[in-house]
């Protein structure tokens, strides 16, 4: 269970939005304002569903990078599953009309960073484990 890539969660959230399960108006669910906070400057700061989805993905990216620092046999499975998640993002971005959105592209880049960071951390830590006599 710990090997399941957490970046599948924003992927599922985005696809729920594509299926119309998250509501939204003519601009789609990603422009839907969730809340607005008045600032001391007089401006208003608004959080949209797209912003929240990206924020969730960034938090999960941090957790995924922390998971990649462990050295075990499960890390190989974790990297393999992260590769599958990235490929799913890429295929959907290229083939699904509704995925041609900036929110989905940012999620795709986050999945790529997770993939590259996971392999990089593993290679660096594996290099430290090898000793030559």
């Amino acid at each position: 269970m710990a090997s399941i890539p957490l970046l599948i969660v924003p992927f599922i959230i985005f696809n729920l939005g594509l299926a119309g399960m998250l509501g939204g108006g003519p601009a789609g669910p990603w422009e839907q304002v969730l809340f607005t906070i008045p600032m001391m400057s007089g401006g208003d700061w608004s959080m949209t569903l797209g912003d929240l989805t990206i924020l969730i993905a960034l938090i999960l990216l941090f957790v995924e990078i922390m998971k990649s620092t462990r050295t075990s046999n499960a890390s190989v499975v974790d990297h393999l599953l992260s590769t599958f998640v990235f490929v799913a993002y890429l295929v959907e971005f290229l083939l699904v009309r509704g995925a041609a959105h900036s929110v989905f592209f940012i999620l795709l880049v986050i999945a790529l960073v997770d993939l590259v960071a996971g392999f990089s951390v593993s290679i660096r830590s594996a290099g430290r484990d090898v000793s030559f006599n």
Side-chain angles (χ1 to χ4, degrees):
M1 191 71 169
S3 293
I4 295 175
L6 297 176
L7 289 178
I8 195 86
V9 172
F11 185 77
I12 292 169
I13 291 172
F14 194 89
N15 283 307
L16 288 174
L18 283 182
M21 296 180 158
L22 300 179
W30 312 116
E31 303 301 320
Q32 180 180 347
V33 176
L34 300 176
F35 58 86
T36 302
I37 298 175
M39 305 301 288
M40 290 176 53
S41 65
D44 291 330
W45 176 69
S46 299
M47 174 71 81
T48 64
L49 183 60
D51 298 334
L52 181 63
T53 306
I54 292 170
L55 179 64
I56 290 169
L58 287 172
I59 292 168
L60 294 176
L61 173 64
F62 174 74
V63 174
E64 282 292 318
I65 291 175
M66 290 295 110
K67 280 176 37 180
S68 70
T69 60
R70 64 191 160 128
T71 54
S72 69
N73 292 339
S75 64
V76 174
V77 174
D78 193 29
H79 295 321
L80 183 64
L81 293 175
S82 292
T83 303
F84 289 149
V85 168
F86 171 72
V87 169
Y89 271 106
L90 184 61
V91 167
E92 184 165 342
F93 182 69
L94 295 174
L95 299 179
V96 177
R97 181 181 302 264
H101 194 278
S102 61
V103 171
F104 194 79
F105 178 74
I106 293 170
L107 295 175
L108 170 74
V109 171
I110 289 171
L112 176 63
V113 169
D114 172 45
L115 182 66
V116 172
F119 282 117
S120 300
V121 167
S122 293
I123 290 170
R124 285 288 276 180
S125 64
R128 290 188 179 137
D129 290 342
V130 176
S131 62
F132 298 100
N133 292 327

